[in-house]
Amino acid sequence: MKSARGGMMAAKNVLFFGDFGIDDIVALMYGYYDDQINIIGIVADYGNVSKQTAINSARYLNFLTKTVDIPIIGGAARPLTGENPVFYPEIHGVQGFGPLAHEFDSSGEEFENFELIRSLIIQYNYNLTIVNVGRLTSLATAFVLYPTVMGMVKEIFVMGGAFLYPGNVTPIAEANFYGDPFAANLVMTLAEKVTIFPLNVTNYAIIPPEKIQDLDQYYRENNDEVGKLLKPMIDYYTSFYKKNTPEIAGGPIHDLLTLWGVGNQGAVTLVEKPVRIIFEPGDARGQSIADFRPYQKLADYPIHRIAIKFNYDVFLNDFLKVMKR
């Protein structure tokens, strides 16, 4: 397979865990357009929307993209904390598509198929990447249920955390880790060398409005029904961010950057550091801690890879190229 970046590269098989807000959907759209990404399954979780809404939206997107053969797995409905989840229609819209609506309703269908995660990992036999861009509840559950099988996953990419950087739901905590800190801590404890894309870098994954306008024109000229979703969703998403931060250029597409990083690791600066997640209640709940001290001996936490910088020009140019494919 020829890569969009030049040269030959085999596609990465990706099992996608998402909570189906706007940035999840944009990431999955990119995955469908990119010939270097092979989405082999989708785990639809609570988070930005409810689990049922996430399932409905995953089915709708698969219908539009003619990828109905990709299995959808019903993930977690609530965090391991036992709390009722909080949803974010003001950021992502009622159905996760911003101002757009669809009529897919899967409430009468069977999506309690978590065992399929195990089957897919075995099927792809050390050639599978998990990308988790929502709460980590389902991923943590998989580690509890299938610890040996989870060792067959080639690599895990997670959008979450904020290291030496402000949070987005509290002064120090990012939403995915804060929403289920037990799950985030469990994954960071049991998984080996997770690649973490924190707010430090994802906050800069902004597609300029004029580029979105150009893409929208391209999709309309080519009657691309999937592509036509992009502009209204990102406009809605950006309007929320501008209410809080008027000077921001656009809404950061956090989850897109994480999935993009799977096939573009050479354009990302990664450091290996000991990582711990605070799961106790209180002001520090959900805080992600990494030991960045310049010492020879660091804290005795599990070692993971943290993205600290990415090549924005490569990211933007690749996104535009892939999304016009």
Side-chain angles (χ1 to χ4, degrees), residues 25 44 82 92 117 128 156 189 202 223 237 254 286:
I25 293 167
H92 298 280
I117 293 174
L128 177 65
I156 298 175
T189 301
T202 64
N223 199 29
Y237 190 64
H254 309 280

Side-chain angles (χ1 to χ4, degrees), residues 67-94:
T67 56
V68 292
D69 56 322
I70 296 176
I72 296 171
I73 297 162
R78 64 178 62 247
L80 298 180
T81 62
E83 299 163 321
N84 290 322
V86 177
F87 308 129
Y88 296 91
E90 69 278 14
I91 305 175
H92 298 280
V94 174

Side-chain angles (χ1 to χ4, degrees), residues 5-19:
R5 298 86 179 162
M8 303 298 290
M9 178 179 290
K12 295 259 191 173
N13 299 313
V14 170
L15 178 57
F16 184 89
F17 289 63
D19 54 354

Side-chain angles (χ1 to χ4, degrees), residues 94-313:
V94 174
Q95 294 180 317
F97 284 84
L100 305 176
H102 60 77
E103 296 182 356
F104 265 66
D105 182 3
S106 304
S107 57
E109 299 181 44
E110 179 59 60
F111 285 93
E112 300 293 341
N113 50 350
F114 204 82
E115 166 70 14
L116 185 52
I117 293 174
R118 176 181 176 275
S119 299
L120 286 170
I121 294 170
I122 293 171
Q123 177 183 338
Y124 283 90
N125 194 27
Y126 297 97
N127 190 24
L128 177 65
T129 298
I130 284 179
V131 175
N132 192 120
V133 293
R135 311 299 184 260
L136 280 78
T137 313
S138 290
L139 185 56
T141 301
F143 270 100
V144 171
L145 292 176
Y146 319 123
T148 303
V149 170
M150 289 301 292
M152 298 172 64
V153 175
K154 182 178 180 181
E155 53 190 357
I156 298 175
F157 282 65
V158 164
M159 189 281 127
F163 296 95
L164 308 177
Y165 191 85
N168 59 359
V169 290
T170 75
I172 57 175
E174 177 275 332
N176 287 337
F177 285 7
Y178 180 87
D180 192 345
F182 291 166
N185 180 69
L186 193 152
V187 169
M188 296 305 155
T189 301
L190 298 182
E192 292 188 8
K193 286 194 178 176
V194 174
T195 301
I196 306 168
F197 276 71
L199 291 179
N200 308 47
V201 294
T202 64
N203 267 348
Y204 298 96
I206 294 172
I207 311 298
E210 64 273 15
K211 300 298 185 184
I212 296 298
Q213 181 63 45
D214 289 346
L215 282 174
D216 188 60
Q217 182 176 342
Y218 173 83
Y219 294 137
R220 293 185 181 283
E221 289 172 353
N222 289 275
N223 199 29
D224 184 333
E225 295 301 324
V226 180
K228 288 178 188 178
L229 300 174
L230 192 66
K231 185 177 186 300
M233 287 196 303
I234 290 185
D235 286 351
Y236 184 96
Y237 190 64
T238 294
S239 68
F240 169 82
Y241 275 90
K242 282 189 171 290
K243 286 175 187 174
N244 282 344
T245 313
E247 67 273 15
I248 199 169
I253 317 296
H254 309 280
D255 302 342
L256 167 65
L257 184 68
T258 307
L259 182 60
W260 174 83
V262 171
N264 294 273
Q265 296 184 45
V268 181
T269 302
L270 298 160
V271 296
E272 293 188 4
K273 297 293 179 183
V275 173
R276 181 189 172 213
I277 312 301
I278 302 299
F279 57 85
E280 293 86 0
D283 291 342
R285 168 181 164 152
Q287 181 182 13
S288 47
I289 298 174
D291 193 344
F292 284 93
R293 294 176 297 178
Y295 298 169
Q296 206 167 25
K297 184 173 175 58
L298 299 177
D300 187 23
Y301 311 148
I303 305 292
H304 297 292
R305 299 198 306 172
I306 303 170
I308 58 170
K309 188 165 61 172
F310 71 102
N311 188 318
Y312 177 79
D313 290 337

